[in-house]
Amino acid sequence: MQSLNVYDLNNTRKAKMELVFFNRVPKVGSQTFMELLRRLSERNNFQFNRDAVQKVETIRLAEDQQQEMAEVISDLPVPSVFIKHVCYTNFSKFNLPTPIYINVVRDPVERVISWFYYVRAPWYFVERKAAFPDLPLPHPGWLKKDFETCVLSGDQECTYTQGVSVEGIGDHRRQSLFFCGHAYECTPFNTVGALERAKRAVESQYAVVGVLEDLNTTLAVFEKYIPRFFQGVREIYDTSAEYLTKINKNNFKPPVSEKVKDIVRRNFTNEIEFYQFCRQRLHKQYLAVHLTQKHLP
């Protein structure tokens, strides 16, 4: 533990511009983090930017699309934050300055359950229909599915077959995809190759990857490692916690038994390893700051 070094764990220093790029994973509390950043933008005097709601969300982009997005982000006034559902994008590949990369992860099985019920929530379809009136309504039988029956009956939606590639944000099982990148090798579900690419990006590129289940530690690390943007985040959260914890909360989500969760976990081995890797790194960052402060004269 004494060998932990804040400098080695601080990728914020590698950024070439004062811009936070939050390529947010769905269903990890990212709406709460967006609201925190919006409030912080007023407190800490930076510009808040988020991508418009899309009818069809594309998270894995072709190279020309990656470059176009990176150029748009690079042209934003600094300091700024930009938020979008999209895979990790290497700005330096296009000779553009590197932003401060951040993200948040969640227990992958809890996340997949959350997504299952989120896309079936009545208010979700009301919002989607209001934004895009031509969207067809889902089949009532699909809406009435419950997660436990879906898993136990071998329904294709809940089998999570190893190595399968499904494009689009609807393939919610692959949390690691948001860190692995846009390459085709990142698309097969729960593979070692995608796991290792995602780990490498987190370790070498991301300033902070927070963990929803470790919220206090996450906020402390954000504030210590990216103070220009996150100074005061814990104070803001503490004064508005009741409201912030209810953002996007789905009251239609029933409990799921540990028996069913264990069945799902067997197919999420590498996704679980990636989550634990991110969690361990977050705690290293937290402890490194604590040890540094403890040994200051």
Side-chain angles (χ1 to χ4, degrees), residues 7-282:
Y7 184 82
D8 292 339
L9 290 163
N10 185 10
N11 284 336
T12 306
R13 61 189 170 84
K14 297 179 180 179
K16 303 301 182 186
M17 61 175 163
E18 216 173 28
L19 187 145
V20 167
F21 182 23
F22 179 16
N23 67 311
R24 64 185 183 114
V25 176
K27 305 313 299 168
V28 297
S30 61
Q31 292 278 2
T32 297
F33 283 94
M34 279 204 302
E35 177 59 19
L36 283 170
L37 281 164
R38 188 190 65 76
R39 296 185 185 195
L40 285 165
S41 70
E42 298 170 0
R43 176 182 177 133
N44 294 336
N45 192 30
F46 60 85
Q47 193 175 98
F48 176 89
N49 307 276
R50 62 166 296 185
D51 193 31
V53 176
Q54 306 290 320
K55 184 176 181 180
V56 179
E57 197 92 49
T58 304
I59 60 169
R60 198 171 71 87
L61 307 177
E63 190 149 325
D64 60 331
Q65 294 172 314
Q66 295 174 47
Q67 182 168 356
E68 181 182 358
M69 180 189 70
E71 288 173 350
V72 167
I73 295 171
S74 298
D75 284 340
L76 292 171
V78 292
S80 281
V81 62
F82 184 83
I83 304 167
K84 178 178 172 61
H85 288 309
V86 70
C87 295
Y88 162 71
T89 305
N90 185 346
F91 281 49
S92 61
K93 181 170 70 173
F94 306 113
N95 296 314
L96 294 168
T98 304
I100 302 166
Y101 295 102
I102 69 166
N103 216 321
V104 182
V105 295
R106 179 182 188 176
D107 178 285
V109 174
E110 296 296 338
R111 178 177 167 269
V112 87
I113 295 168
S114 178
W115 181 275
F116 181 91
Y117 286 110
Y118 172 69
V119 295
R120 288 170 167 82
W123 51 263
Y124 173 80
F125 284 103
V126 170
E127 290 179 359
R128 294 286 291 169
K129 196 73 175 171
F132 308 106
D134 59 329
L135 278 177
L137 290 172
H139 189 277
W142 181 84
L143 283 174
K144 291 177 182 177
K145 275 188 193 179
D146 73 274
F147 188 77
E148 293 206 351
T149 303
C150 187
V151 171
L152 295 172
S153 67
D155 189 307
Q156 188 175 0
E157 186 180 359
C158 305
T159 53
Y160 311 112
T161 306
Q162 306 299 284
V164 165
S165 296
V166 181
E167 290 300 316
I169 202 166
D171 186 27
H172 47 80
R173 69 199 71 185
R174 298 175 303 173
Q175 184 165 233
S176 62
L177 179 63
F178 286 80
F179 303 87
C180 180
H182 301 272
Y184 178 76
E185 290 79 6
C186 296
T187 61
F189 172 62
N190 202 53
T191 62
V192 173
L195 165 68
E196 294 305 323
R197 281 172 177 254
K199 281 183 177 179
R200 186 162 61 246
V202 169
E203 195 137 67
S204 65
Q205 301 298 322
Y206 278 81
V208 178
V209 175
V211 176
L212 181 61
E213 289 82 0
D214 295 325
L215 189 57
N216 288 334
T217 302
T218 293
L219 296 180
V221 171
F222 270 127
E223 190 164 22
K224 288 295 184 182
Y225 283 76
I226 320 175
R228 173 65 185 85
F229 292 86
F230 284 94
Q231 187 66 45
V233 67
R234 285 179 291 178
E235 180 186 339
I236 290 174
Y237 184 83
D238 288 344
T239 56
S240 307
E242 186 176 354
Y243 166 73
L244 291 168
T245 53
K246 291 179 180 177
I247 294 177
N248 242 15
K249 185 175 181 179
N250 186 0
N251 293 319
F252 294 92
K253 186 178 77 171
V256 176
S257 70
E258 284 301 311
K259 173 189 171 184
V260 169
K261 288 180 184 179
D262 283 340
I263 292 170
V264 177
R265 287 184 186 115
R266 292 172 203 156
N267 282 356
F268 274 74
T269 51
N270 290 312
E271 287 292 326
I272 291 169
E273 182 176 336
F274 176 69
Y275 166 75
Q276 295 293 358
F277 169 83
C278 292
R279 196 171 189 179
Q280 183 183 53
R281 180 177 184 261
L282 179 75

